[in-house]
Amino acid sequence: MNNTNNFQRSAFNSRLNSNFHSHSTFCDGRSSPEDFLKFAISGKFRAYGFSSHSPLPFETFWNMSAVDMPEYLTECDRLKKKYEHLIEIYTGLEIDYLDETYNPSIPYFRELPLDYRIASVHFLPLSGNLTESNMVCIDGSYEEFARSVDLHYEGDIRKITERYYQSVYAMLEAGGFDIVGHPDKIYQNGHLYPGFTMDADWYREPLMACLELIAQKGYIVEINTKNLIRKQQLFPHVRYLPLLKKMHIPVMVNSDCHYPDLVNDGRPEAFKLLKNLGFRTTMELIKGEWKVKEM
Ligand SMILES: [Zn+2]
Ligand SMILES: [Zn+2]
């Protein structure tokens, strides 16, 4: 996002207050699910969805453990009952696509009693061996990212970018989810690495292929505002928003919050931007069903 777009916090019509991408202490979020709900309720939210980072075949700092899944589901159910007179609560997961053997389409995830599923790529396996030491994380610190590009991608930002979009494309083909999470997350660290550009065909073409497949399959794309206020970054990047509209891709606006006071962070600003670009509707779960809602 260029710096002429200055996203200041602004007042907002609470009618659109909801969030379906959020983390808690079940994964790398900084507070309990109930704490997040308290902020959502005080912010007059209509609905709130939990989307912990899914369990993986190995333990990480970010992801929840498979052994905690029953407790996660039970806690979400308890909160649904406790606060049902105040807010609609949904149980989701942000599920990692690792490879064709571990992703949202596998029976483990399909069989979980979830209200919705977000699919994201954070890790690029170096081989079919799904261990933590065999993963390149694209969403950690820039230093770690740059080291991985140097070590595993011959210092070529183009190679890791192509690899990333291959993974996103395979995730879209495999299915098993409702929402595509931050589809161009690679640019968060990628744009700091020498040689990166969004203007080259090697960047645009694989991303375009993903957007075409998204449109064809009818997935919802989230407009992820986690970095909007702090870093002036939106996922998808602001330059792709007109294209999403032109391709009739349904969108929703999620804060991807890890801290309770950030449940609505960047959402009013993103809605303002979307409206200025001619978007008229957003997707929301209303009484358990996906509905098109006027902005
Ligand atoms: Zn994510
Ligand atoms: Zn997330």
Side-chain angles (χ1 to χ4, degrees), residues 47-204:
Y48 197 81
F50 295 108
S51 63
S52 274
H53 287 292
S54 64
L56 296 178
F58 47 89
E59 299 291 324
T60 74
F61 166 77
W62 300 278
N63 295 73
M64 66 183 283
S65 299
V67 290
D68 292 335
M69 185 58 75
E71 194 189 335
Y72 175 64
L73 298 172
T74 305
E75 177 63 358
C76 290
D77 280 345
R78 183 185 74 83
L79 296 170
K80 280 182 186 183
K81 290 193 186 85
K82 183 171 175 184
Y83 294 104
E84 67 182 347
H85 58 298
L86 293 172
I87 188 169
E88 286 184 20
I89 297 170
Y90 294 98
T91 311
L93 268 188
E94 181 180 14
I95 306 175
D96 277 278
Y97 181 93
L98 294 183
D99 68 7
E100 63 281 5
T101 69
Y102 201 90
N103 62 64
S105 77
I106 65 173
Y108 170 72
F109 291 118
R110 286 199 190 262
E111 287 161 16
L112 289 173
L114 299 169
D115 298 316
Y116 69 97
R117 292 155 174 86
I118 302 172
S120 301
V121 172
H122 305 101
F123 297 101
L124 302 173
L126 291 165
S127 73
N129 194 7
L130 301 184
T131 56
E132 192 179 11
S133 61
N134 223 9
M135 296 290 148
V136 169
C137 178
I138 60 114
D139 192 17
S141 70
Y142 172 69
E143 290 68 30
E144 187 200 338
F145 176 83
R147 225 173 11 249
S148 296
V149 181
D150 295 345
L151 204 61
H152 303 298
Y153 293 92
E154 300 161 51
D156 188 344
I157 189 65
R158 176 175 169 167
K159 287 201 170 106
I160 191 171
T161 303
E162 285 168 349
R163 172 76 179 83
Y164 171 81
Y165 282 118
Q166 276 166 11
S167 227
V168 174
Y169 195 86
M171 174 182 91
L172 299 169
E173 280 190 316
F177 59 90
D178 310 283
I179 303 159
V180 184
H182 47 66
D184 55 355
K185 191 74 166 175
I186 190 71
Y187 92 75
Q188 173 179 280
N189 278 320
H191 85 283
L192 298 169
Y193 197 91
F196 181 89
T197 171
M198 282 193 184
D199 298 323
D201 288 347
W202 60 261
Y203 185 86
R204 267 187 322 107

Side-chain angles (χ1 to χ4, degrees), residues 21 23 53 94 256 258:
H21 188 156
H23 300 281
H53 287 292
E94 181 180 14
D256 194 356
H258 290 65

Side-chain angles (χ1 to χ4, degrees), residues 196-244:
F196 181 89
T197 171
M198 282 193 184
D199 298 323
D201 288 347
W202 60 261
Y203 185 86
R204 267 187 322 107
E205 282 171 6
L207 175 51
M208 281 304 298
C210 289
L211 293 180
E212 275 158 24
L213 190 54
I214 286 168
Q216 191 188 319
K217 299 253 187 191
Y219 296 125
I220 300 165
V221 166
E222 71 167 4
I223 309 301
N224 184 303
T225 65
K226 183 182 172 194
N227 289 356
L228 185 59
I229 302 296
R230 209 162 39 94
K231 296 183 180 174
Q232 306 282 299
Q233 291 174 345
L234 200 60
F235 303 98
H237 191 280
V238 69
R239 71 158 72 181
Y240 286 96
L241 298 182
L243 209 52
L244 261 64

